[in-house]
């Protein structure tokens, strides 16, 4: 078994039958991290000593036939914004006071309960507000597929770490595409579940935690752990006995909507459109009926929510001294400053666009069982950009395909469906009605089976 490219499910099978151990895997993982990190800068609070000790302890438990938890001995990273006990949460920005978190957030707590080895946090941009790997606290995170390109964000470090093989399991957060966008740009499976399926704290409109992995099966494996209930999230769903590892699905009666137009924002690259159409044809050959679907987003929706988010961000920035505001990534300050000039009516109108999106996204499933679309309108942008457009006045032009499903609360997943002429990943998105999380995973698994495994993962640059 090639341990560094093995999935978590394959590693667990190896632990179970004695072909490998957590200590074996970690012994290969550590030098791999050392080889990659100077180039991609994906990790924060990396704890090599604890990882080594915990792997040895897990190895002994497996040797004794007494593993503790479904993920015993599997290394995992967690996005910096998700609290882990004793580690500060800088929010990607140089102005945050570095106070250690007092307790694990729900995703971290569930992973510890299953004895996953949390060995690092992953980077994010300032305040998690950009689809980019730029950060005044962490520095610049790069895409392993091509180091002068951006991994996306705001789960930038998780995307880069997963693509580079810095462990098999990674957890990000997503309020407008922050799991799915880096998943698309880094060639991964990135799953945003129904709001409340994975309890999170702090919770907020549209904010979800979600798996970022190389395979659908590993995403399902993480869901079995992360979806257990936690009363700290008042938006959580009731406990459910979903068999997350059941990936079989009859496609013969499936009505699959195909959405090629986001309704606003950037034009979609022709290579991405062609890739979506190829994937749609594969589902059609498997028995699905294809149905064209109109956009669910409008310019008014996007601009309205932009206004609300400007005001919300300025609320945070206004508490800082002028000197500290100057330390925040300039594009954020420039963008948010106009939030101070908005009227209360403007801000309320902007927030109300979340409900407008909820109506249109719910109605989109009146005649279909699931929807296929691009994840992003472009497949790469420069590493140093704060957003794909790099325009502080129009920072969300790339969110047309991802943002509405956060506000509508539907489960949505990005999966790599091929590569551009430049050899960079192209993601497509699968979406299902609220609460039908497993349907999304099953559709993704069906496509992944037709596509086959990715065998060209990037390797560390030669020294």
């Amino acid at each position: 078994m090639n341990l560094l490219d093995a999935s978590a499910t394959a590693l667990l099978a190896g632990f179970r039958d004695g072909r490998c151990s957590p200590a074996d895997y970690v012994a290969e993982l550590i030098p791999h991290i050392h080889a990659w990190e100077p180039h991609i800068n994906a990790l924060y609070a990396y704890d090599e000593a604890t990882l080594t000790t915990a792997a040895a302890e897990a190895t002994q438990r497996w040797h004794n036939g007494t593993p503790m938890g479904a993920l015993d001995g599997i290394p995992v990273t967690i996005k910096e914004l998700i609290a882990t006990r004793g580690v500060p949460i800088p929010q990607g920005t140089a102005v945050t006071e570095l106070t250690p978190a007092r307790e694990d957030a729900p995703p971290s707590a569930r992973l510890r309960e299953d004895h996953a080895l949390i060995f690092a946090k992953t980077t994010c941009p300032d305040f998690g507000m950009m689809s980019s790997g730029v950060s005044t606290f962490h520095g610049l995170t790069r895409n392993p597929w091509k180091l002068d390109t951006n991994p996306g964000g705001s789960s930038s470090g998780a995307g880069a770490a997963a693509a580079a093989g810095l462990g098999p399991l990674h957890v990000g957060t997503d309020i407008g595409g922050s799991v799915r966008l880096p998943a698309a740009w880094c060639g991964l499976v990135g799953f945003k579940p129904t709001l409340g399926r994975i309890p999170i704290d702090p919770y907020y409109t549209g904010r979800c935690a979600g798996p970022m992995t190389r395979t659908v099966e590993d995403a399902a494996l993480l869901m079995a752990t992360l979806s257990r209930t936690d009363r700290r999230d008042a938006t959580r769903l009731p406990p459910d006995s979903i068999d997350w590892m059941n990936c079989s699905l009859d496609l013969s009666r499936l009505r699959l909507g195909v959405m090629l137009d986001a309704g606003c924002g950037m034009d979609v690259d022709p290579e991405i459109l062609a890739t979506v159409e190829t994937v749609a044809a594969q589902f059609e050959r498997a028995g699905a009926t294809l149905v064209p679907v109109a956009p669910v987003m409008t310019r008014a929706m996007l601009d309205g929510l932009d206004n609300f988010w400007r005001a919300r961000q300025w609320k945070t920035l206004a508490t800082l001294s002028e000197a500290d505001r100057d330390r925040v990534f300039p594009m954020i300050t420039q963008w948010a400053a106009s939030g101070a000039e908005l009227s209360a009516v403007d801000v309320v109108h902007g927030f109300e666009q979340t409900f407008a999106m909820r109506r249109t996204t719910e109605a989109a499933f009146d005649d279909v069982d699931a929807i296929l679309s691009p994840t992003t309108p472009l497949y790469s942008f420069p590493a140093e950009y704060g957003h794909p457009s790099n325009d502080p006045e129009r920072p969300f032009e790339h969110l047309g395909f991802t943002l509405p499903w956060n506000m509508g609360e539907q489960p949505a997943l990005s999966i790599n469906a091929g590569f551009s002429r430049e050899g960079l990943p192209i993601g497509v998105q699968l979406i299902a009605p609220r609460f039908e999380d497993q349907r999304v995973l099953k559709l993704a698994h069906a496509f992944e089976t037709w596509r086959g495994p990715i065998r060209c993962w990037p390797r560390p640059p030669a020294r």
Side-chain angles (χ1 to χ4, degrees), residues 192-238:
K192 181 207 79 69
T194 299
L195 185 74
R197 180 71 72 193
I198 296 175
I200 194 166
D201 182 34
Y203 51 88
Y204 194 75
T205 304
R207 184 174 189 244
C208 300
M212 298 177 70
T213 61
R214 287 183 170 188
T215 69
V216 175
E217 194 173 34
D218 274 3
L221 180 71
L222 262 178
M223 286 302 299
T225 293
L226 297 175
S227 61
R228 294 200 297 271
T229 194
D230 193 302
R231 294 189 64 83
R232 288 175 288 174
D233 185 349
T235 70
R236 70 193 182 282
L237 298 182

Side-chain angles (χ1 to χ4, degrees), residues 105-242:
S108 311
R110 299 295 84 74
L111 290 164
R112 290 199 205 277
E113 288 168 0
D114 281 354
H115 280 76
L117 310 185
I118 300 174
F119 71 95
K121 309 294 287 289
T122 48
T123 61
C124 69
D126 288 51
F127 301 107
M129 271 309 303
M130 297 181 292
S131 300
S132 173
V134 299
S135 164
T136 58
F137 179 84
H138 299 293
L140 183 62
T141 298
R142 297 177 179 272
N143 192 328
W145 289 96
K146 192 169 184 284
L147 293 174
D148 62 357
T149 66
N150 208 297
S154 62
S155 303
S156 48
L166 308 189
L169 301 180
H170 308 268
V171 181
T173 61
D174 189 316
I175 199 171
S178 291
V179 161
R180 289 158 290 155
L181 294 167
W185 288 315
C186 294
L188 309 170
V189 174
F191 182 41
K192 181 207 79 69
T194 299
L195 185 74
R197 180 71 72 193
I198 296 175
I200 194 166
D201 182 34
Y203 51 88
Y204 194 75
T205 304
R207 184 174 189 244
C208 300
M212 298 177 70
T213 61
R214 287 183 170 188
T215 69
V216 175
E217 194 173 34
D218 274 3
L221 180 71
L222 262 178
M223 286 302 299
T225 293
L226 297 175
S227 61
R228 294 200 297 271
T229 194
D230 193 302
R231 294 189 64 83
R232 288 175 288 174
D233 185 349
T235 70
R236 70 193 182 282
L237 298 182
D240 206 335
S241 56
I242 296 172

Side-chain angles (χ1 to χ4, degrees), residues 35 65 185 295 310 422:
W185 288 315
R310 286 175 196 250
E422 298 175 53

